[in-house]
Amino acid sequence: MDHSVNAPLRDNVRLLGDLLGECLRQQAGDGLFDTIEQIRQASVATRSESGAPLTSLRDLLSPLDDDTLLEVARAFSQFLNLSNIAEQHHRERLHRQHQRYPGDPGGDQGLRDVLERLTQQQIPAETLTDTLRSLSVELVLTAHPTEVTRRTLIRKYDQIADLLGELDRADLNDEERATLRARLRRVILAAWTTDEIRREKPTPVDEAKWGFATIEQSLWQAVPDMVRQLERQLMEQGLPQPPADWAPVKLASWMGGDRDGNPNVTATVTREVLLLARWMAADLYLRDIEELLADLSMEMASDELLSVTGPSHEPYRVLLRDVRSRLKLTRRQLEARIENQPVADGDGYTHREQLLSPLLLIDRSLRETGLADIADGDLKNTLRRLNCFGITLLRLDIRQESTRHRDALDAITRYLELGRYGEWDESRRQAFLVEELQARRPLVDAAFRNADECTPEVREVLDTCQVIAEQGSEGLGAYVISMATTPSDVLAVMLLQKIAGVREPMRVVPLFETLDDLEGAEASMRALLAMPFYRERVASGQEVMIGYSDSAKDAGFLGAAWAQYRAQEALTALFAEHQIPLTLFHGRGGSISRGGSPTRMALLSQPPGSVAGRIRVTEQGEVIRFKYGRPAVAVFNLSQYVAATLEATLLPPRAPKPQWREQMQILTDVSVTGYRSVVKEEPELVRYLRTVTPETELSRLALGSRPARRKKDAGIGSLRAIPWVFAWTQIRLMLPAWLGTGAALEAAHVDPGQSALVREMAEHWPFFQGVVDMLEMVLAKADLNVAAWYEQRLAGGDAGLEALGQSLRERLTGAVGALSALTGREDLLDNNPVMRWSIRVRDPYTDPLHLLQAELMARLREQDGDETLESALMVTIAGIAAGLRNTG
C-alpha cells in the first residue's frame, strides 16, 4: 500500500473512530465503552498472526445480556459506516488529485486518458467525434433491496463527508480546525443516537422517492458538471465540441415499475410514481429558474427575444417569470392528479420542448448580444439537465414476468371462444399474435373487463397497459419481460399494448436470465427477425436484456458468465447481419455473482463489437449510494461510463482464440456440474441455508417492498437471487461466487496443458481477466473461521449439517489454492493493496458482528418475537453489509 497516498485515509478513519469513542463514553458510560474496547482489542488479537483463538472473542460476547449485545452491535456497525464515509471521501480526494496531475500512472482511466490512448492508436478524429456524439449510456436505478441504511442517516453521513472535506483545507488555523472537529463530533453523536434500522418495509412509492432524492441531492448537480468536464477534456485534445443537445448519459428507473414477483407494484402505484417524478422535475426546474431570475438582470437582448417580451429594461426576467408561473401551474396540476382532486385550468408543461423553447431563446439572445459567457453558466447547466432528465426526471421501465402476459391472452382467447392460448404450441401462438398485431379492428372491447375470464391478475396486466397509454411515451422507457423464453413472449406484450390503445408503444425488451434462456436467446431473436412485420418495427434498434442474478443462481458464477458472453456474441452477430442497431441491457448488481465489477473492467470484458456506442446497465441498492450519492463521486462514475463505453467501442478487446474458447467450455462444464451437484442435488443444502445463514431472518429487515421469494415454498428455486447472495455473504462463506468455479480451476491446474492455457487466458483475455480479478476480490472477503463459528453455534451436533459445512469449507479452501496457483500470488489481493488494507482494517469490527449475529440468531430462535434481540440482529445484518460493501 502506498502509505503517502493513503495516509489521509488512515488519519480520517482514526479521527472518526476516536470521535465515536468519545460519543460512546458520553452516552453509555465507561462500562460499555470499556466492554467494547476489550472486544475490539480481542478481535484485533484474533486477526494477528500470533493472536488468540476465536474462542477468546466468543467468550467475551457470550455472557453479555440482550441489551448490551444491542449496544455492542450498534457500536461496531457505526464504526464500519464511518469507515465507509472515510473511504468514499478518500476516493473524492484521489479523483481531485488525478485531475490536478493527469499523468499519474495510477490514474482513473477517465476520458482524458482514453482520448490520449485513442490518439496514440491513430483513431481518426472524425470517427472519435461521431462516436462521442451518438454515444448512449443509460443507467437504470433499481429498488433491489441491498440498501440497508435509512435516509435520515445517509443525510448525516453526507454531513460527515462534507466536514472531512473542510478539514482537508491546508489554510485552516487551529481555532477553525477545532471548530470543525466539534461539529464533526456533534454529527457523529446525532448519528449514534438515531435508530439505524427501518422499522417498516418501504412501499414501492417510498423506494421511488428514495431514487428521486438521489437525483435531487447529487445527480442534479453531477450531470451538468460531468458534461462540462467532458467538454473541457475534448477541448484539451483539440476535438470539436459536441452539439448543444448532447446527453451521453441518461437515467431511467425500475422503482415503481418493476412488478416481477412484487404484488405491491400495481398500475395505481406506477401511475402515482410517474406523476411524482414529473412533480419533482417541475420543482427542481423551478429552483433553477428562480436562480436564473436572480442572475439574468441585463438589458441587452436580441430582436427575437424582444419580439416575445415587448420592450423592457429586464427582458430576460419578463420571459423567465412566465416560465416560473407555468412551472408552478404544472406542479399544482400534478399535485391535484396525484391526490385525485380537480385539476386547475391552464397549460402546464407536458413535453420537454415546451420548457426547452424559452430557455433556448434566452441562450440565443445572450450569445447574439456578446454575453456568451453568461449563457455558458447556470443557463447551460439547466439546458444540460433538460437533455438528460427531460421534464419527467426519469424514464420508468415496466417489468413483468412472461407468464402473466400469457395468462392475460389466455383469458382473452377463452372469452372470445377461440380456445386456450396457454395450451397452444409456439407456432400457433406466433401466428395468432402477428395476425392480431396487423389487424385494424380491436381484439376485445371494454366489456371484457367485466367477464368471468378477467381475473384480478389479468385486470392488473390490462390496467398497467392502460397507464402506459394514458401517460405517453416521454416518461416511459422499456417494457422488460422477465423469464422470456420464446418469440411469442415478445409479441404478446406488443399485442397487449395495442389492446390498451397505446399510441407510442414502449419498446419491448426480452430478459434472458437462466442458462437455458441465455443459450436460446439468439434463436428466439432470429425467429422474430424472420418476420417482416417485426423487422420493420425494430428497424431503428432492438434492446435485449442479459440477466446476471438468476443465471448465476441457476448455473454458478463461471457458467453464467460464459453463457452471458456467448449470448452477447451471438446476438451482436445476428443484429449486425440484419443491420439493426442492438443495445444490450445488463442486469447487474453489486456482488460478483450479480455481475458486479468496476465499470471499465465490466465494459472492456464484453465481446468485441457488443458495446458499439450503446450500453444500458442497472444500478441498485447500496451501489447507487456509493457511486452516485455525492456529486463529486457521481461525476467521476458517470464520466467513467462514458470513457469506458467509448474505449470499448473504438478499442474493443480482441476476439478469444479458438483454444481459449475450448478451454473456457471445459472450465464451464466442470463448474456447472460442481455447482449444481451441491445447489440442486445436495439434500441438506436448503436446511443448511435456513439454519446456518440468516436467510430466514433477512425477511425481518425492512430492506425493500418486494417479497424475498417468488412463490411460497421453502426451496432454493423460489428464493430470489438477492437474498440468496446476501445470506451467504453475511456468514462470509460467499458460496454463490466461487462454488463450481473453484473446482474448475482445480481440475485445470492438475493438467499441465490446461494450466498453461488458463494462465495465458488470465493474462491476455480481458473477459477471463475480469473473472479472475472478481473471484480474487470475493475470496479475499471469505472467511473459513467465521463461517465455521455460525455452524458451531447454530448447527452444533447436527451431523448432517456439520458434514456439509466441512465439505463446503474444503471446497472453498481448494478454490483459494487454485486461484493462488493461477495468479502466482501467495496472498490474495497482493496486486490490490488498497482493497486488501480496506478489508483488513474492517475485519476487527466485522468479526464481533458475525459472532454477535450467530449468538442473536440462536437466542431469537429460542425467544421468537423478542424486540431487543430483533433490533440487535437487524443492526448486525446492516453492519456486516456496511463492512463488506458489495453484498447483494
Side-chain angles (χ1 to χ4, degrees), residues 392-465:
T392 60
L393 200 68
L394 293 160
R395 284 184 177 269
L396 185 68
D397 282 4
I398 304 294
R399 183 168 77 133
Q400 182 59 280
E401 206 263 334
S402 59
T403 57
R404 293 293 300 273
H405 309 129
R406 202 173 304 152
D407 292 345
L409 286 169
D410 185 78
I412 289 171
T413 57
R414 284 186 286 114
Y415 170 73
L416 296 173
E417 299 182 352
L418 297 175
R420 300 188 70 101
Y421 176 89
E423 295 177 357
W424 295 350
D425 62 24
E426 177 64 13
S427 61
R428 186 176 176 189
R429 286 181 188 174
Q430 288 183 28
F432 168 76
L433 293 166
V434 171
E435 181 182 353
E436 291 301 328
L437 279 165
Q438 295 179 93
R440 298 200 173 195
R441 55 167 176 74
L443 182 59
V444 288
D445 55 24
F448 171 67
R449 288 178 169 272
N450 299 317
D452 292 340
E453 291 85 356
C454 192
T455 64
E457 292 77 16
V458 170
R459 190 172 296 112
E460 179 57 42
V461 171
L462 299 179
D463 287 347
T464 297
C465 291

Side-chain angles (χ1 to χ4, degrees), residues 510-639:
L511 164 52
F512 298 108
E513 352 188 22
T514 67
L515 199 61
D516 288 345
D517 292 345
L518 286 166
E519 289 174 349
E522 191 265 355
S524 289
M525 298 313 298
R526 184 174 290 280
L528 283 167
L529 292 175
M531 305 172 189
F533 152 81
Y534 186 83
R535 237 180 10 258
E536 184 180 336
R537 284 286 184 97
V538 299
S540 61
Q542 170 76 58
E543 186 176 318
V544 176
M545 186 168 182
I546 303 295
Y548 287 73
S549 306
D550 285 287
S551 56
K553 182 165 163 276
D554 176 38
F557 165 59
L558 191 65
W562 183 229
Q564 291 149 11
Y565 188 94
R566 288 186 293 112
Q568 291 179 69
E569 275 187 320
L571 290 167
T572 299
L574 171 65
F575 282 89
E577 174 190 327
H578 286 276
Q579 298 184 318
I580 294 173
L582 172 66
T583 299
L584 288 166
F585 181 9
H586 298 267
R588 294 180 178 274
S591 66
I592 174 178
S593 46
R594 301 199 65 249
S597 61
T599 300
R600 184 168 181 267
M601 179 197 295
L603 288 177
L604 293 180
S605 64
Q606 304 305 317
S610 64
V611 176
R614 297 176 303 279
I615 194 79
R616 206 165 189 254
V617 184
T618 55
E619 297 280 34
Q620 71 163 51
E622 87 280 11
V623 173
I624 295 173
R625 178 159 62 94
F626 288 134
K627 290 175 70 172
Y628 308 110
R630 293 183 56 75
V633 177
V635 168
F636 170 75
N637 283 300
L638 293 172
S639 60

Side-chain angles (χ1 to χ4, degrees), residues 171 244 248 263 447 515 524 559 578 620 657 673-674 737 778 805 821 836:
D171 61 344
L515 199 61
S524 289
H578 286 276
Q620 71 163 51
K657 296 178 180 179
T673 300
V778 81
R836 189 176 70 238

Side-chain angles (χ1 to χ4, degrees), residues 228-271:
R228 192 178 294 275
Q229 182 186 99
L230 297 180
E231 288 177 347
R232 187 167 57 248
Q233 291 170 351
L234 290 173
M235 190 181 302
E236 289 171 1
Q237 294 295 320
L239 294 166
Q241 291 292 284
D245 62 352
W246 190 48
V249 177
K250 292 195 174 180
L251 295 159
S253 173
W254 277 12
M255 302 179 191
D258 180 11
R259 61 239 310 121
D260 175 26
N262 188 349
N264 301 309
V265 179
T266 63
T268 301
V269 164
T270 296
R271 177 180 180 275

Side-chain angles (χ1 to χ4, degrees), residues 19 52 144 158 161 209 247 272 304 349 354 391 406 446 527 581 636 751 766 827 836 846 879:
L19 293 175
H144 285 176
D158 285 343
K209 288 178 178 177
E272 182 178 355
E304 181 190 18
Y349 289 117
Q354 295 168 334
I391 62 162
R406 202 173 304 152
F636 170 75
D751 182 319
D827 292 326
R836 189 176 70 238
T846 53

